[in-house]
Amino acid sequence: MKDLLFPDFLKSFGASLPWDRRLYKQDILGSQVHCRMLAKQGIISREEEELILKGLGEILREIESGEFPFSMELEDIHMNIERRLMEKIGDVGGKLHTARSRNDQVALDERLYLREEIRLIEAQLLELMETLVDKAQASLRAIMPGYTHLQRAQPVLFSHHLMAYYEMFRRDLRRMEGCMEGLSELPLGSGALAGVDFPIDREFVAKELGFKRVCRNSMDAVSDRDFLLEFLSACSILGIHMSRLCEEIVLWSSQEFGFIKLADLFCTGSSIMPQKRNPDYAELIRAKAGLMVGNLVSMLMVMKGLPLAYNKDMQEDKRPMFETVDTVKDCLRVVTQMIRTMEVNSTRMAMATEEGYLTATDLADYLVEKGRPFRKAHGVVAEIVRSCVERGVPLRSLGLEELKSYDEAFDEDVYLVLDPRASIERRATRGGTATSRVMEALEEARRELEELRAALKGAEA
Ligand code: ARG
């Protein structure tokens, strides 16, 4: 049977307009600068320049007020704008595309777009980092078990734990800056792939659009999506950090842990179990991190077998790009508020440090200080812990006599080392969990945040 609608279907199958219409601002900006350069170089006349710029200005207003007649027939935002320009100012509108191809045009638009979005993401990251510092500062008294293999290991300050995430997000910020570096070269002026045969001024365009340099190789410039892969990768890693934090939030807010209480806003109930406080939003962030990794893998797969230069496959970069931009910003927004508003139950945290023999390492260290080799001390303490576990009693409950029966080096002062808070304060090496060190880290972070904020402001200006 003949499918009469097939040609229409095919048009929409081949179109990128549903996604790339979001690039209208960048597309128009690029066109404005391109047009001014063409006139400056005498490639078009000043009158033509004026007409084109006026037309582009009107088109911008039409799009922003929702009056622009988008047409799927025209595949993408670039052709939609060009066609509209010709409707408005006639044939002269066709001169705008002189010395340009959609291949270098789309490469430009995406770079401009990502540069803007990365600045916004960086600002959000700074806010999250600041929120972590605030929370860590406010919770300095709270102690909790630190875990390895999700088994209670050694007591730590809750603030120290939070500040570990600060470090992760600090690295994410660095990766975003790395992306900016990858976005600092201008692809426009590469033409379809081979360069153009007009006396254009690429340096002028680069400067006007805020690029540091022009891309050195025209074929690379139009077929390169490394900047997008880098961005998707940076967002994936950031997503993974948010996901790990959210996984802890899920655990901590469970009845088993009871370390934190999420604000009501971040909890949903169950339709049949009235006692439930489900951490839905933390769970969603955990899942969305997976979607962002998926977008990275999607783009890696799209690019991996492509010969030079532009191939239509590359049009499929739009959905992953926009989706990851939206997702990462949404997640940052939610996780920041979730941290800001959560309540810390320091009593429950402290209770958890009492059970689980968290100070066993301190007991071994005690024997080492008394001159025993660490391996030997470790063996003795393992035996003591085994016996305590069997009887279901804490280390602290053992009398000095009994301790001496394991090793006569034990003395009255041993009880000091069995206190979890004392254990924390002894870990005063740089980067350790002692309160003095964590306070140092907080101060350093505050200074760093101030510098980073100033740098971001400077970059915007
Ligand atoms: N819609 C295209 C894309 O998004 C624009 C570039 C098209 N170039 C071409 N030669 N068909 O990738």
Side-chain angles (χ1 to χ4, degrees):
M1 211 177 54
K2 203 156 185 285
D3 183 352
L4 290 174
L5 293 175
F6 189 68
D8 287 336
F9 164 72
L10 213 48
K11 279 272 181 210
S12 78
F13 186 84
S16 51
L17 185 65
W19 291 277
D20 64 23
R21 53 192 290 167
R22 286 180 66 172
L23 294 173
Y24 74 89
K25 243 196 309 178
Q26 292 76 15
D27 199 70
I28 290 173
L29 176 65
S31 287
Q32 286 165 335
V33 174
H34 181 66
C35 169
R36 285 167 44 217
M37 182 276 290
L38 290 177
K40 182 179 86 66
Q41 298 299 96
I43 300 168
I44 62 172
S45 71
R46 287 294 174 186
E47 295 71 50
E48 291 167 337
E49 175 194 17
E50 204 177 305
L51 274 173
I52 292 172
L53 290 179
K54 188 166 158 281
L56 287 172
E58 282 170 24
I59 289 171
L60 182 62
R61 274 191 295 282
E62 283 181 0
I63 296 178
E64 302 211 305
S65 63
E67 290 157 24
F68 186 89
F70 283 107
S71 160
M72 200 71 97
E73 287 282 309
L74 297 172
E75 182 182 314
D76 56 29
I77 186 69
H78 324 295
M79 305 235 272
N80 267 267
I81 290 177
E82 184 176 347
R83 174 67 61 87
R84 185 75 185 138
L85 186 64
M86 298 207 281
E87 278 171 16
K88 284 180 168 299
I89 65 172
D91 278 351
V92 63
K95 291 205 171 188
L96 172 62
H97 211 51
T98 312
R100 189 172 74 171
S101 148
R102 274 186 299 148
N103 297 349
D104 55 355
Q105 192 178 354
V106 68
L108 170 69
D109 293 1
E110 290 186 342
R111 286 168 191 238
L112 288 172
Y113 168 75
L114 280 180
R115 265 176 24 191
E116 242 174 79
E117 292 298 336
I118 286 172
R119 286 296 176 229
L120 298 175
I121 293 166
E122 288 180 334
Q124 282 189 291
L125 258 172
L126 281 178
E127 205 180 322
L128 172 56
M129 288 159 71
E130 186 161 47
T131 305
L132 284 166
V133 172
D134 288 343
K135 204 70 187 175
Q137 185 102 51
S139 327
L140 260 178
R141 293 293 300 160
I143 67 172
M144 67 182 283
Y147 296 80
T148 63
H149 314 269
L150 203 56
Q151 307 276 319
R152 288 176 190 169
Q154 291 181 334
V156 292
L157 287 191
F158 176 61
S159 307
H160 195 50
H161 195 127
L162 285 183
M163 288 303 284
Y165 282 96
Y166 175 92
E167 295 296 325
M168 297 182 222
F169 295 126
R170 171 74 187 98
R171 290 194 295 274
D172 289 319
L173 196 64
R174 261 195 213 124
R175 267 183 287 275
M176 288 296 162
E177 267 314 300
C179 290
M180 286 303 259
E181 194 49 42
L183 287 164
S184 62
E185 296 183 353
L186 171 80
L188 202 68
S190 300
L193 75 161
V196 300
D197 54 354
F198 291 91
I200 57 172
D201 183 350
R202 296 189 70 196
E203 275 69 25
F204 170 81
V205 176
K207 192 155 173 283
E208 289 292 302
L209 291 173
F211 289 94
K212 285 191 195 158
R213 300 174 284 280
V214 304
C215 295
R216 295 194 300 190
N217 181 298
S218 62
M219 295 184 78
D220 175 47
V222 292
S223 61
D224 164 37
R225 290 293 179 274
D226 288 3
F227 63 88
L228 179 56
L229 296 176
E230 282 170 10
F231 173 74
L232 295 175
S233 163
C235 289
S236 295
I237 299 174
L238 165 55
I240 285 169
H241 293 155
M242 290 192 279
S243 175
R244 293 182 71 178
L245 179 53
C246 284
E247 167 63 10
E248 305 226 59
I249 287 173
V250 170
L251 286 172
W252 291 343
S253 63
S254 69
Q255 288 189 29
E256 279 67 19
F257 280 77
F259 287 1
I260 59 163
K261 187 167 173 243
L262 285 177
D264 292 343
L265 189 61
F266 292 102
C267 293
T268 60
S270 151
S271 42
I272 52 167
M273 297 168 283
Q275 82 282 16
K276 293 291 285 288
R277 283 175 62 83
N278 299 330
D280 286 28
Y281 299 98
E283 296 169 271
L284 284 170
I285 290 170
R286 207 168 53 185
K288 285 176 193 291
L291 301 186
M292 288 195 279
V293 174
N295 287 338
L296 167 62
V297 175
S298 291
M299 264 325 282
L300 289 168
M301 290 300 105
V302 165
M303 296 304 295
K304 77 174 185 39
L306 299 185
L308 296 185
Y310 178 85
N311 299 271
K312 193 69 171 181
D313 312 49
M314 290 160 69
Q315 174 167 290
E316 292 294 337
D317 62 356
K318 307 294 177 308
R319 189 200 50 77
M321 175 173 78
F322 290 119
E323 198 182 273
T324 284
V325 165
D326 293 340
T327 305
V328 83
K329 286 163 72 184
D330 290 352
C331 290
L332 281 165
R333 191 171 169 195
V334 174
V335 85
T336 302
Q337 289 302 333
M338 195 151 53
I339 299 288
R340 185 170 287 158
T341 56
M342 76 188 188
E343 260 173 52
V344 178
N345 187 337
S346 53
T347 313
R348 279 293 293 259
M349 285 185 184
M351 272 164 58
T353 66
E354 296 291 336
E355 275 166 44
Y357 309 99
L358 276 85
T359 49
T361 316
D362 298 81
L363 199 58
D365 290 346
Y366 173 90
L367 288 176
V368 170
E369 267 165 44
K370 301 272 173 182
R372 302 285 186 259
F374 180 77
R375 280 297 155 214
K376 172 117 196 300
H378 186 274
V380 169
V381 173
E383 237 180 281
I384 297 176
V385 169
R386 213 173 301 123
S387 138
C388 285
V389 171
E390 262 168 31
R391 289 180 283 161
V393 298
L395 286 172
R396 277 207 243 216
S397 71
L398 299 182
L400 191 54
E401 283 305 291
E402 185 174 358
L403 285 172
K404 274 186 184 298
S405 74
Y406 288 98
D407 190 321
E408 58 206 30
F410 283 119
D411 216 333
E412 277 300 342
D413 57 354
V414 67
Y415 295 102
L416 296 175
V417 312
L418 292 179
D419 173 45
R421 196 169 282 282
S423 160
I424 287 174
E425 301 309 346
R426 271 195 304 278
R427 298 211 158 40
T429 44
R430 201 165 146 69
T433 189
T435 309
S436 58
R437 287 302 187 182
V438 174
M439 282 168 69
E440 208 173 84
L442 290 173
E443 266 168 46
E444 212 174 308
R446 292 234 187 257
R447 270 199 304 277
E448 183 173 69
L449 281 171
E450 220 170 279
E451 281 167 24
L452 290 168
R453 256 189 216 299
L456 191 59
K457 263 231 174 75
E460 273 161 14

